[in-house]
Amino acid sequence: MKIVQPFLLIIVVSLGFAACMGDYGKEYKLDALHNVYYKGDGAKEADAIKLANFLKSIEYFQDSVNSSVQFEKIKDTFNLNFVVDATKLTSGYENNFLIIGAFISDSVFNNAPVTVQLTNGQLEPFKNLGYAKPLSDFDK
């Protein structure tokens, strides 16, 4: 019995640690500083790669800053979760994230509906910005 107890303790501690990490989904690492988590039916690594490259091209993923983004596909909608430091947000940030969401819908997800949320480092939402307005609506 004394031999079994250490193994049970290891299993319980491992399961507890895994539970604390949360279900971020599968991870695509663009490089050492930037990653995209993806989950949901129909969420593919190809989408994560395309999103990571897009974020790099618009300089959301900057060379000197750790950055993470998560998307979850539910039916035909992509829910984007941007990990941000709430203390560094400035006025007008909401509109900027919604514009980025619109470009992501257009350039990455073939004009699929996109919702945008801001999250902390554990991907816990603190601000739901709603649907990103499609690019075609900006001309109106």
Side-chain angles (χ1 to χ4, degrees):
M1 185 67 168
K2 287 185 179 188
I3 294 173
V4 174
Q5 285 178 339
F7 291 113
L8 288 175
L9 180 62
I10 290 171
I11 290 171
V12 169
V13 169
S14 298
L15 289 174
F17 181 70
C20 290
M21 291 182 63
D23 180 22
Y24 299 159
K26 295 178 182 176
E27 179 183 24
Y28 169 72
K29 290 185 82 57
L30 178 66
D31 52 41
L33 296 176
H34 309 106
N35 56 355
V36 174
Y37 295 98
Y38 59 101
K39 65 183 190 173
D41 289 340
K44 299 178 178 117
E45 184 177 50
D47 293 327
I49 292 168
K50 197 171 179 182
L51 178 58
N53 288 325
F54 178 79
L55 292 172
K56 184 75 169 178
S57 75
I58 66 167
E59 297 181 1
Y60 180 82
F61 281 169
Q62 297 178 8
D63 291 338
S64 61
V65 179
N66 279 325
S67 299
S68 295
V69 174
Q70 178 195 54
F71 72 86
E72 181 174 10
K73 186 173 183 188
I74 300 175
K75 296 183 182 180
D76 67 337
T77 301
F78 289 87
N79 298 318
L80 286 172
N81 296 314
F82 290 93
V83 176
V84 297
D85 181 351
T87 64
K88 295 183 180 178
L89 294 174
T90 59
S91 64
Y93 73 89
E94 291 180 8
N95 194 46
N96 292 338
F97 278 100
L98 288 171
I99 291 170
I100 291 171
F103 276 103
I104 290 170
S105 171
D106 183 59
S107 301
V108 178
F109 298 136
N110 298 318
N111 293 314
V114 167
T115 63
V116 178
Q117 288 193 116
L118 305 181
T119 72
N120 64 20
Q122 288 73 43
L123 289 167
E124 298 167 337
F126 64 85
K127 182 76 174 181
N128 184 340
L129 302 179
Y131 278 96
K133 185 176 178 181
L135 288 177
S136 59
D137 288 357
F138 280 98
D139 295 334
K140 297 177 182 177

